[in-house]
Amino acid sequence: MEILPVGEESLGVRSMCLYVETRDVRILFDAGVSLAPRRFGLPPHPRELERARSVRGEIVRLAQQADIITVSHYHRDHFTPWYPSVYMATDGETYKKVYGGKKVLMKSPADLNWSQRRRHYGLAKALQEAGAKAVYADGGEWRIGGTVIRASPPLWHGPAGSKTGRVIAFAVSDGEERLVFVPDVEGPVEPEPVAFLEEVKPTVVVVGGPPTYLGWELERALQRLTEIIDIGPHTLVLAHHLLRDLAWREKIEAVLQRAEKRGVRVATYAGLLGRKDELLEAMRRDLYAAEPAAAQPAEEGIDEGD
């Protein structure tokens, strides 16, 4: 199984885009990229805008190779929109290059909040126009040759009852490796993502970690991460919200120690590529200090909660 990180906070953008290829199928998970409209009171630095364009180019390239593309939920950093956006590096036509003619395994509109339902319907219409085959994936399973793709039931985007709604995770097994992609569970903090992992028994786990920069639910998240380590994957990739904090390693030190004791490798997207983490969003204040730039107004209609 080939695992190629595409975009994520350790690579300088908001994203969890990941490309996975087995002998039978090529999958692009969550083909989105975005930037925080405001952080430390500042809009994205030009270096972030440049990185978003670079990641978008890689998403388009890999999407054209992929057989299947996923949409785990409808926050803007997890799908390619049908409208132009500087912060998502799209021109309003990019979605056709990403989704055109593809099979798209996507979260159903059930149990979503109003804003995500609205985006779902807009994306669903765009997919139809692009000639994509949209399939609601919640709880589903697909066998392609010797590869099995399985979607979880809906999982909370953070704590149960969260206004941000629910997401779905995906597991890919090729008979040798078992990868599970668990986006935006913010830790996880609830037991359901851990239960899904216990069923799959993954060799590689990619999980959206806790938003330590916001300071909530950290103890519960640390406990769940410990439970994931005890399942016994050989690699745990920590991603997304967690890496919006320059001090993330210090804040989860107990988890890192547990992983070392159990022989579980802990990595980031950048680490999988053999690169150093570049937490450009978390560095934004420093970037403006080191490389002054004219601050542009935030894009209208984009909120940081996405």
Side-chain angles (χ1 to χ4, degrees), residues 60-93:
V60 170
R61 183 183 74 82
L62 291 169
Q64 292 172 353
Q65 297 179 17
D67 304 302
I68 292 173
I69 300 175
T70 73
V71 182
S72 67
H73 64 299
Y74 300 93
H75 283 168
R76 293 178 173 93
D77 47 356
H78 291 266
F79 68 92
T80 298
W82 57 96
Y83 50 84
S85 167
V86 172
Y87 288 2
M88 289 176 274
T90 60
D91 61 7
E93 296 293 317

Side-chain angles (χ1 to χ4, degrees), residues 27-204:
I27 309 163
L28 187 62
F29 289 104
D30 284 19
V33 57
S34 187
L35 299 172
R38 288 280 168 182
R39 189 76 192 273
F40 311 114
L42 296 165
H45 188 271
R47 282 184 60 189
E48 294 178 80
L49 293 166
E50 180 182 358
R51 185 62 56 84
R53 290 191 291 270
S54 175
V55 169
R56 175 59 70 190
E58 188 70 353
I59 288 173
V60 170
R61 183 183 74 82
L62 291 169
Q64 292 172 353
Q65 297 179 17
D67 304 302
I68 292 173
I69 300 175
T70 73
V71 182
S72 67
H73 64 299
Y74 300 93
H75 283 168
R76 293 178 173 93
D77 47 356
H78 291 266
F79 68 92
T80 298
W82 57 96
Y83 50 84
S85 167
V86 172
Y87 288 2
M88 289 176 274
T90 60
D91 61 7
E93 296 293 317
T94 309
Y95 77 94
K96 296 177 182 177
K97 299 176 184 177
V98 173
Y99 298 116
K102 303 297 181 178
K103 183 174 184 176
V104 182
L105 300 181
M106 59 196 297
K107 174 76 184 71
S108 80
D111 56 49
L112 296 179
N113 59 13
W114 175 81
S115 63
Q116 285 202 66
R117 285 200 306 273
R118 181 184 63 180
R119 292 177 206 148
H120 156 266
Y121 289 121
L123 181 60
K125 181 179 178 181
L127 293 178
Q128 185 176 26
E129 292 172 354
K133 180 182 179 182
V135 178
Y136 292 140
D138 310 41
E141 183 173 300
W142 299 264
R143 185 176 295 274
I144 304 167
T147 299
V148 177
I149 303 170
R150 179 180 174 189
S152 74
L155 308 170
W156 283 108
H157 186 298
S162 170
K163 293 180 180 180
T164 45
R166 298 182 189 248
V167 308
I168 51 176
F170 291 91
V172 181
S173 173
D174 66 358
E176 297 176 3
E177 298 279 359
R178 296 177 303 281
L179 175 139
V180 183
F181 175 78
V182 195
D184 283 41
V185 289
E186 296 189 1
V189 292
E190 297 300 330
E192 288 80 7
V194 180
F196 182 64
L197 291 167
E198 287 176 336
E199 291 179 17
V200 175
K201 295 291 189 294
T203 56
V204 180

Side-chain angles (χ1 to χ4, degrees), residues 187-227:
V189 292
E190 297 300 330
E192 288 80 7
V194 180
F196 182 64
L197 291 167
E198 287 176 336
E199 291 179 17
V200 175
K201 295 291 189 294
T203 56
V204 180
V205 177
V206 179
V207 64
T212 55
Y213 73 112
L214 298 176
W216 64 55
E217 301 290 352
L218 182 56
E219 290 305 316
R220 288 172 63 191
L222 295 180
Q223 176 58 37
R224 300 299 181 208
L225 286 172
T226 298
E227 293 169 3

